[in-house]
Amino acid sequence: MTDSADAPPPPRSANVAPPSVPVVGMVGGGQLARMTSQAAIGLGVGFRVLAGSAAESAAQVSAGTWLGDYRSLADLRDFAAGCDVLTFDHEHVPGPHLAALEQDSVQVRPGAAALRFTQDKLEMRERLTGLGAACPRFAPVRAIAEVEEFAAGSWPVVLKAVSGGYDGKGVWVCDSAADAADVLAHGAVLAGEVGLIAEEYVAFDRELAVLAARSPHRQGAVYPVMQTVQRDGICREVIAPAPGLAPGRAAQAQELALRIAAELGVTGLLAVEMFETPAGLLVNELAMRLHNCGHWTIEGARTSQFEQHLRAVLDLPLGSPALAAPVAVMANVLGGDDEDVYDRYIHVMAADPAVKVHMYGKPVRPGRKIGHVTVTGDANHRDPAELADRARRAASYLRWGKEHGE
């Protein structure tokens, strides 16, 4: 009888794809990978996930889950060995590791040269302004005197971490030099571990986003321009198409997203977040991956962003990004005070049977994104305000157990 301690470890992946089917490996086990796995099933392609633990969102549902650390080159190499294409649900894989994988002839999409513009905000700003894309005024800063010189007496000023920030983390709106000094006094900043840039505070009319896809054969596709609503650094809702956006401005935003994708050599999805101002559009952020702003595409577009990303990285012809309904609204579901979200499904689904609920299998913590809901319009219900109200009420009930919580 073999002692259990001497038994071989279980396989790191139970996923076996047919020999003729390519395998896409996604680094990161979050909700983006979880929803991409569903699209991979529909396409009939192999799909694997590199997750940090079996409890992560995608690891719960993907048979092709490998456990490993995205910061470990050895783990990345082991994972990539069974994949035809490597892609990502986040942008935190170290750049030198990506370069090493490319030297190993791994198909990394998007590649290291493109991803560095999302990993380094200073490089992103310099590259975009070099392309003639309008951005907020910016400058690298290391000391309070440099911040004060940048502000020139006009506050607030926005300080951003050059790397590592997301969902409002690594962004500080400073109303005074004292506020900026507090940020600069942060230990990691003092130690030089986190670089900072200062940006002008933009008094925008609203925030917009454009999602574009690009394949290795340089085919491009762009979704309708969306309006996003942010609170406390977190996207709370998305309306597609952006209500009342002039056709000329919408075309300008779409053309800009496609041009940025081409100029930066993006393969896969690119999200371009913008400010709409009286003077025009300003590019705020880039993300070279699937994005929260595109979750509505599962029900609201002819091709979801998740299927589109798989098509792009596999160099398949891209799908139609056209709307499948006149209007689509997505609202994020944030964690509330208790974990019993499932118990509230009955009310949400009975109150509005057209609401589509997507949950990520994440432990509930106050303010954490744990799912989203989508409401699409039809011939009789196409008012964005009405649809947004329905989405908000559903998301609120899932969070708080009442339809008008915050």
Side-chain angles (χ1 to χ4, degrees):
M1 182 174 180
T2 303
D3 189 287
S4 61
D6 298 325
R12 297 176 72 180
S13 171
N15 187 50
V16 179
S20 61
V21 174
V23 176
V24 176
M26 183 165 278
V27 178
Q31 64 263 27
L32 299 177
R34 182 185 180 107
M35 288 181 274
T36 307
S37 71
Q38 297 168 335
I41 291 169
L43 288 175
V45 299
F47 187 73
R48 305 169 88 178
V49 171
L50 180 65
S53 80
E56 290 185 9
S57 182
Q60 297 172 25
V61 299
S62 176
T65 296
W66 279 53
L67 300 183
D69 188 341
Y70 69 86
R71 295 162 297 190
S72 164
L73 180 56
D75 285 0
L76 289 167
R77 280 178 164 148
D78 287 346
F79 177 67
C83 305
D84 295 284
V85 177
L86 202 67
T87 190
F88 313 91
D89 90 336
H90 61 71
E91 296 130 334
H92 305 313
V93 178
H97 291 2
L98 297 174
L101 291 170
E102 290 178 329
Q103 290 175 358
D104 294 342
S105 298
V106 175
Q107 294 284 352
V108 179
R109 294 175 175 166
L115 275 168
R116 69 192 178 109
F117 295 112
T118 61
Q119 295 177 329
D120 187 309
K121 285 184 169 57
L122 179 58
E123 286 200 37
M124 177 193 73
R125 282 282 181 257
E126 291 173 341
R127 184 76 170 98
L128 289 175
T129 54
L131 294 174
C135 298
R137 186 173 62 89
F138 71 96
V141 291
R142 293 173 299 277
I144 188 60
E146 292 175 324
V147 180
E148 291 183 294
E149 180 182 359
F150 177 84
S154 179
W155 300 89
V157 164
V158 180
L159 294 182
K160 290 185 177 181
V162 168
S163 62
Y166 66 97
D167 275 354
K169 299 177 177 66
V171 178
W172 302 270
V173 178
C174 301
D175 292 317
S176 65
D179 288 348
D182 287 343
V183 175
L184 289 163
H186 190 279
V189 175
L190 284 174
E193 298 168 9
V194 176
L196 294 176
I197 59 172
E199 290 189 353
E200 67 174 312
Y201 182 84
V202 177
F204 54 83
D205 294 330
R206 59 177 168 173
E207 294 184 80
L208 303 174
V210 186
L211 197 62
R214 185 172 178 271
S215 73
H217 269 99
R218 300 179 183 177
Q219 183 187 9
V222 63
Y223 288 87
V225 181
M226 301 156 268
Q227 177 177 326
T228 66
V229 178
Q230 316 279 335
R231 281 203 291 277
D232 300 323
I234 297 176
C235 179
R236 297 297 293 270
E237 63 190 53
V238 177
I239 304 172
L245 185 63
R249 182 156 288 184
Q252 177 192 3
Q254 290 175 308
E255 290 166 4
L256 178 59
L258 286 169
R259 184 163 73 89
I260 291 172
E263 293 284 357
L264 301 189
V266 176
T267 300
L269 268 290
L270 170 71
V272 183
E273 298 177 58
M274 303 178 184
F275 295 136
E276 184 181 20
T277 75
L281 299 174
L282 296 179
V283 177
N284 182 33
E285 297 284 356
L286 301 179
M288 291 180 195
R289 54 169 168 77
L290 301 149
H291 198 267
N292 193 187
C293 74
H295 292 350
W296 63 271
T297 61
I298 297 173
E299 289 86 21
R302 297 297 179 189
T303 308
S304 78
Q305 67 163 339
F306 304 97
E307 178 184 337
Q308 194 78 291
H309 185 70
L310 289 171
R311 287 189 183 211
V313 300
L314 288 169
D315 208 9
L316 294 170
L318 299 181
S320 168
L323 287 162
V327 182
V329 178
M330 184 277 298
N332 278 318
V333 178
L334 305 185
D337 296 330
D338 69 87
E339 297 186 3
D340 199 3
V341 176
Y342 184 79
D343 187 56
R344 297 191 279 276
Y345 278 12
I346 293 175
H347 173 88
V348 169
M349 294 177 179
D352 195 341
V355 169
K356 301 298 289 186
V357 177
H358 298 261
M359 302 304 289
Y360 306 151
K362 290 183 170 184
V364 175
R365 292 200 301 264
R368 183 186 201 188
K369 281 190 282 190
I370 58 172
H372 73 269
V373 298
T374 302
V375 179
T376 55
D378 56 31
N380 298 316
H381 300 90
R382 57 174 66 214
D383 178 14
E386 176 208 340
L387 297 174
D389 181 65
R390 289 166 56 191
R392 286 187 208 112
R393 284 190 281 120
S396 174
Y397 200 90
L398 290 169
R399 183 182 189 186
W400 300 117
K402 55 184 179 180
E403 291 191 359
H404 298 289
E406 177 51 37

